[in-house]
Amino acid sequence: MNKSSENPEEDRVSLQSDGKMQANGVAKEALGVLQTFRRSIRRPAEKSPRSPNRKESKVTSRAESESPSSLPPGSPSLSAGSPAASPLKTRGGFFQKKDEDLTDMTQHKRKPLARSKTDPNMSKLTDSLLKKGSSLRRSLRFPSKKENDKAARQEPLAAEALPEMREEKETEVEEMEEMEELYTLPEIPHTPLSVMQINKLIEMEVLEEAHLNLLAMRLEFQKEQQQTGDNSPMELAKKEKDLALLYTDLRKKICTIVCDSNSFPARNKALLVHVARIIQEEEKRAEEPGGLPDSWMEAWREAVSQGVQVKVNGVHLEKKEHNSSWLAVHLGLLGKTIVEDLENVKRELRWSYPPSFKVFSTYVKSYHRIIGQHLRKLEPQVTELKDLYALLDWILNKYKSEKIMGSFCLQPDMAEESADLQLQEGFLKQLLEKYCCKVKEDMSALLDRVIELEHETVWKDKTEPQREDNLLLSLFPMDIWTAVKGKVDHSGKLDPDLVKKVIVSCLEELKSFPRKEHMAAYQDSCPHEVEGFKQEVKGLIVRLMEVLEEQFKEDVKPFLRRMMTRKWLTNDDDFKQLDGRIQQLSHHCDSMRPLHVKEFASRLHYYVVKEYVGQLMKNNYSCKNRNHEKAGAKINEQWNKLTDLFDDMKSSHEWLHHVGLDLSTIIRQNKTDIKNHLQPLVEHYPDFSKKHLVAVLYFRGLQRGREHRLILQKLTALRKEVGSTSTDRGQVLFGDMQVTANTDCLSNPLFSCLSFLQTHS
């Protein structure tokens, strides 16, 4: 049975198959769907913020924008007692049952309709058409056959007008205006849809219609609550619960749309207009019963943050095992995502909201907070110095620069916003301290590598080092200094206050490698640390010299111990070895800095003299048969060579030059002339005592007798003349020299022992 439609245009539209009308009621119902879609598509275009008609007035009510003939009939609610769900209302009308006619709809205006039992298959078909209709409504408007014919005739004209349409569209995009703050709420239905129908509208994202019915349901609840007072029946409690559930679903849907809006701006653009108006209306009605207790604006801001979180989580992050530059790459992509998203908010999303929402500012603040949290989660993975630097540089410099928040495409909106990240309290300080610790660790590892490389390239194969101006030249101190300078300069780019901390960290690791004149450049900024570093370097140099000195002593000790022996008198091999070692040392001293070589050579000069002369005090050999003349001449010759060697080494102990000459002179003399040559020795070395003279005379071959006593008496007289007070403690030689006791007194016990005791008195 065919019924006439309320809209005359619908009477002219039919679905044909093989040239015949279909009597199936399903086709007629589908026809109603298409008619409804055409009307519903027209209305969002009229209400769009970009519609030219909108400039003349603010948001108008449904009663003002639609004629009475085009309004659909009221829909029954669940309170009417119908056992089945009523038709669903859309923006343009309702799905109509196949057995309803114009008379039924007219009566529906006066009283609630009795709902007929719906066939389950029809319900499924209706749901299917409803879902398809929701999708089609956003994209297409199905024309009638007459409109198709008309469109076919106008195709050439449309093709010619296409360039002009594109120009108009581009102009329209450029002239986008911010949404009006004030609005007029559409007419609230007298009778709301059922809970199931409202919920279906929410699921289909028909938000405006769903909200209006929610408001109607809320008004009913408030009216019934006023009538019943404190004695609220179960039905009222059930309605309150239904309201809470529906509002919760509506808020969830709105939050989902807002969350996705920066990922799918074109899809959600029209929906956001309704979202904004719903939030505004609910904020106005916040004190009225039946709504949600918390703020809708806060829920919207939270949804914005969730959308930002989704964006940030979607930025690619490689594992550092796969890419050594994992963090730098991630931060670069993160900055690009921030700029692109905020540019999209500035260009598109902001036009779907009134000014009070401060959309751009809300997104910027969300990024500040979400990025701060994101970096905090990344921090445990940042274990290398280069990654720490990249993170700090991004936080302190790049985030606020023209590369991200200061980007030209975000101006002038960004000029009114803060560009600072919202970091957890103490997080930046923690990063800076971690950076200093990593600098120290990196310097320690660098020194280990330098020492290892120096060993491999120089010491292991005993490669001759490079020279410059006859001084040893090593490149590794400059390599270390370059590394220190680089770390200090880089820290200055991050934070001026970080420079001093980095210098201190480097100085704590550096001991003997860099030159002090280099580190003096930081004397003003870190005076205590630099002074401490100088003292440490000085101590290390002293210890280094001591090690070299001990090595030399161990090397020449065997040769010195064989001086003043029978073999020494007839063989020069040991002295040649000694001479060769000293010459080698002299060659090394030529490569040392003058400040260090003078002190070093002087100490070794003293050691050689003391050990060489000390062999005379050990009674290892006594010259006989005029061998004393040969021994004295040999001592004189060798002494001159030693003196020349240490002069070349710039030894400051010239006072040691006399001892060998003075002793060689005494040894060469006849025993009657010895006492006449003691004075120079006593004057040069006041600490020369009787025991030392006894040892020298023993080596000379004079062990007892009258001349022996006279020589010792002469020494006693000379020492009194010179005076013991004239001894310069800085020039003590014999005082530190041990003397071996002479045990040859058994050959003449009485005389020899008394003579020995007398000489040592």
Side-chain angles (χ1 to χ4, degrees), residues 9 33 83 265 276 283 410 457 519 576 598 666 756:
E9 185 180 358
V33 172
E283 285 291 301
L410 303 182
T457 57
M519 306 313 296
K576 287 180 180 179
K598 193 177 188 69
I666 293 172
F756 180 80

Side-chain angles (χ1 to χ4, degrees), residues 665-678:
T665 300
I666 293 172
I667 292 170
R668 282 183 295 178
Q669 301 300 317
N670 294 325
K671 59 181 181 180
T672 57
D673 296 331
I674 291 176
K675 58 181 176 292
N676 299 324
H677 293 84
L678 291 176

Side-chain angles (χ1 to χ4, degrees), residues 590-653:
D590 289 341
S591 305
M592 296 172 66
R593 300 288 171 183
L595 177 65
H596 306 300
V597 71
K598 193 177 188 69
E599 182 180 356
F600 181 64
S602 299
R603 289 203 305 271
L604 293 181
H605 185 192
Y606 180 85
Y607 170 77
V608 171
V609 168
K610 178 184 174 183
E611 291 298 316
Y612 184 88
V613 175
Q615 303 309 310
L616 291 171
M617 309 300 157
K618 294 184 178 180
N619 298 332
N620 291 328
Y621 177 70
S622 181
C623 298
K624 296 179 180 179
N625 300 324
R626 303 187 67 86
N627 281 338
H628 65 90
E629 295 179 358
K630 183 179 179 180
K634 193 163 191 175
I635 291 174
N636 186 73
E637 179 186 0
Q638 292 180 350
W639 193 259
N640 287 330
K641 289 183 178 180
L642 293 175
T643 299
D644 292 340
L645 285 173
F646 285 107
D647 278 343
D648 292 340
M649 292 170 64
K650 304 296 188 296
S651 170
S652 61
H653 291 343

